[in-house]
Amino acid sequence: MYTLDVISWLTEENLRNMLERYRSLGPFPGIALTFMKSFVPPLPTMLIVGLNAAVYGLWLGFLYSWAGLVAGCLATFLIIRKIASQRFLRKWAQRPKVARAMEWVRRSGFSYVFLLSLFPVGPFVIINLAAGLAGMRLRSYLLALAVGKAVMVFAVSYIGNDAGRFIRNPVEMIYVVLFVLLSLWGVRSIEAYFSKLARSGGSGGGSS
């Protein structure tokens, strides 16, 4: 019930009011919201990143969103890697979706994390956990994550920086819808590619 209450509260108006209310705290609210995305999956990435750009401006909004997302993903990765030997995690890792993600990470870790980081939608929480459980090297993970997220966050920040133009020209919403649909298609295509790669026994950028 509590989870449903939280999800129902996550509206554009409520999030914008919160950012404006605590803006005197500097970058903390914008960074904290995107940081929490890694621990509260229902948080809407596109909405939060777009609002950061609208409240703080394009470049500061981009920086705060990027820093928060990277820090949150990295924290998840490090925590899971630290406790990977725990029994409940080993059992959780046997779930089909997680097991597939771990196999993809072992075979093509850098490419897989980088490509999925480019999209604002997708199972990135699972990827963070799978990368930690699979023992992906920190340097490879962080580089793939940081570069991929930078591209994604800038694209969403650019849209959110002048959201008013979508009110003035509603037809431009088509581009946003296309962006989301292309992101979903991209995630599915990447997962299908790595599934095919795993079945054929190919290898890629791996954990090096």
Side-chain angles (χ1 to χ4, degrees):
M1 195 60 149
Y2 175 75
T3 302
L4 292 176
D5 291 339
V6 170
I7 294 174
S8 65
W9 184 87
L10 295 174
T11 64
E12 180 177 357
E13 182 179 359
N14 287 338
L15 289 172
R16 181 185 288 271
N17 288 339
M18 188 180 74
L19 285 173
E20 294 283 4
R21 181 178 179 182
Y22 295 105
R23 191 176 178 181
S24 60
L25 297 176
F28 178 75
I31 293 175
L33 263 180
T34 47
F35 177 87
M36 288 302 297
K37 168 64 184 177
S38 294
F39 299 92
V40 186
L43 286 173
T45 303
M46 284 192 67
L47 179 57
I48 294 172
V49 172
L51 285 175
N52 271 349
V55 172
Y56 294 104
L58 175 59
W59 293 108
L60 284 179
F62 160 76
L63 179 62
Y64 299 160
S65 294
W66 177 80
L69 285 172
V70 171
C73 290
L74 181 60
T76 305
F77 171 80
L78 292 175
I79 290 169
I80 293 300
R81 201 165 72 161
K82 186 74 173 178
I83 62 174
S85 61
Q86 296 296 316
R87 183 179 177 182
F88 76 94
L89 274 179
R90 292 201 306 270
K91 185 175 180 180
W92 182 82
Q94 294 172 359
R95 294 183 179 183
K97 194 168 186 178
V98 181
R100 285 198 304 271
M102 288 177 63
E103 180 64 22
W104 295 330
V105 167
R106 289 191 184 104
R107 292 182 178 275
S108 306
F110 182 92
S111 300
Y112 189 55
V113 172
F114 169 73
L115 289 170
L116 286 182
S117 294
L118 293 172
F119 302 104
V121 294
F124 211 79
V125 171
I126 289 179
I127 302 311
N128 293 333
L129 300 177
L133 288 170
M136 185 176 177
R137 287 182 61 184
L138 175 60
R139 182 181 63 184
S140 296
Y141 173 80
L142 185 56
L143 181 61
L145 173 73
V147 177
K149 289 295 184 189
V151 175
M152 182 276 287
V153 170
F154 183 80
V156 178
S157 296
Y158 183 78
I159 294 171
N161 182 53
D162 186 16
R165 73 178 183 271
F166 297 111
I167 299 176
R168 298 189 297 271
N169 293 304
V171 70
E172 292 198 19
M173 278 298 296
I174 295 174
Y175 300 122
V176 179
V177 173
L178 285 175
F179 179 58
V180 174
L181 292 176
L182 283 172
S183 295
L184 289 168
W185 174 82
V187 169
R188 298 299 183 191
S189 298
I190 290 166
E191 289 185 331
Y193 168 78
F194 281 101
S195 291
K196 184 178 179 181
L197 191 68
R199 288 195 299 269
S200 64
S203 60
S207 305
S208 58

